[in-house]
Amino acid sequence: RAWYYCNNLTTITLSKSLENIPSQLFDNCRNLTTVNLGELTQLESIGANAFYNCTALTDIELPESLSSIQSNAFYNCSNITSIVIPDGVTLLGNGAFGHCSSMEQVTLPSALNSISNNTFYSCSKLSSINLPENLTSIGSDAFSYTGLTSVDIPDNVTTIGNSAFASCSKLNSVDLPAGLQEILANTFKGCSSLSAIEIPASVTSIGNQAFQNCYNLLPTFASGSQLRSIGYNAFYNCYT
């Protein structure tokens, strides 16, 4: 926490031999605009809350050596507009880029198999994203309150967390994976532009309020549906 709440800090040059950025190192350095992360060729990990609430931090370059971005590392970095996450990154912690309200473009690593809870929560300008084919799980609120207009969820995904895409009011197209077993509570709640979705035959349960307030939604069910349970208000206010 060497520079914790250091509001006079505007730019910093870190040692190129640095391997880890500790937790909370620049937490709430609200005037920090520039840091030379792209030059740190030995950097492996960015710690939890390392750049939390660095609201002046602009677009950053991450080094290819990076393997993990811990929880809330860039939470509420509201001036970052795009990020390319290197292919070596296998861990994106909870809320890693949550509330990055100017974020418009994200490139995810091809080897990533899990997106944690709240990873891109409230990235309201994020309108599209390509999910890697190796992805197997999407955490709770991972993309809730984003500006996504469509999403193609890879076939390897078997778990989608509660509220994962909740309140994505511009979302109009979703392609669910064929092996998905359950749609949990609030997953697509408040996706008011969503007009059609096919529930895969593999889905056995739909949770409470999963599609509540999807006003224009007309769901269809794949042939051979194994659906056994539909939760409370799962399709409430689906007017179509």
Side-chain angles (χ1 to χ4, degrees):
R1 300 176 60 172
W3 289 282
Y4 180 73
Y5 264 98
C6 187
N7 284 324
N8 292 324
L9 184 67
T10 60
T11 184
I12 194 163
T13 301
L14 298 171
S15 169
K16 294 181 181 180
S17 63
L18 192 66
E19 295 181 359
N20 299 288
I21 295 178
S23 298
Q24 296 185 296
L25 187 64
F26 300 104
D27 190 334
N28 274 286
C29 292
R30 298 183 183 182
N31 291 308
L32 179 64
T33 60
T34 307
V35 60
N36 64 323
L37 291 176
E39 299 175 1
L40 310 185
T41 56
Q42 298 181 49
L43 186 67
E44 296 178 359
S45 176
I46 298 175
N49 296 70
F51 295 94
Y52 182 94
N53 207 31
C54 290
T55 53
L57 190 64
T58 54
D59 293 345
I60 55 174
E61 181 182 355
L62 299 176
E64 291 299 321
S65 57
L66 195 64
S67 61
S68 69
I69 301 172
Q70 303 291 332
S71 298
N72 301 317
F74 295 96
Y75 189 91
N76 202 36
C77 290
S78 53
N79 265 319
I80 295 177
T81 61
S82 65
I83 191 77
V84 176
I85 302 172
D87 274 341
V89 172
T90 56
L91 172 65
L92 286 179
N94 294 346
F97 295 96
H99 227 284
C100 290
S101 55
S102 296
M103 184 82 76
E104 297 178 357
Q105 295 182 331
V106 173
T107 302
L108 294 173
S110 58
L112 189 69
N113 57 35
S114 176
I115 296 176
S116 300
N117 301 343
N118 302 291
T119 300
F120 297 103
Y121 170 81
S122 200
C123 292
S124 55
K125 291 188 177 180
L126 184 63
S127 60
S128 64
I129 194 164
N130 291 323
L131 300 177
E133 290 300 318
N134 288 326
L135 198 66
T136 60
S137 68
I138 298 173
S140 298
D141 282 294
F143 294 100
S144 61
Y145 292 93
T146 62
L148 289 176
T149 58
S150 65
V151 62
D152 185 355
I153 303 174
D155 284 340
N156 288 323
V157 172
T158 57
T159 303
I160 301 175
N162 295 338
S163 304
F165 297 93
S167 296
C168 293
S169 60
K170 298 178 181 179
L171 186 64
N172 58 53
S173 174
V174 175
D175 188 3
L176 294 175
L180 188 65
Q181 296 181 352
E182 56 183 345
I183 298 173
L184 299 180
N186 305 310
T187 301
F188 296 100
K189 181 180 179 180
C191 293
S192 53
S193 296
L194 190 62
S195 59
I197 194 168
E198 182 174 85
I199 310 298
S202 56
V203 171
T204 59
S205 67
I206 297 175
N208 295 343
Q209 302 174 329
F211 294 96
Q212 180 174 319
N213 294 339
C214 294
Y215 302 120
N216 298 300
L217 181 63
L218 180 63
T220 58
F221 297 85
S223 177
S225 176
Q226 301 175 44
L227 188 63
R228 296 193 296 267
S229 126
I230 297 178
Y232 176 75
N233 281 345
F235 293 98
Y236 181 77
N237 269 348
C238 293
Y239 292 149
T240 307

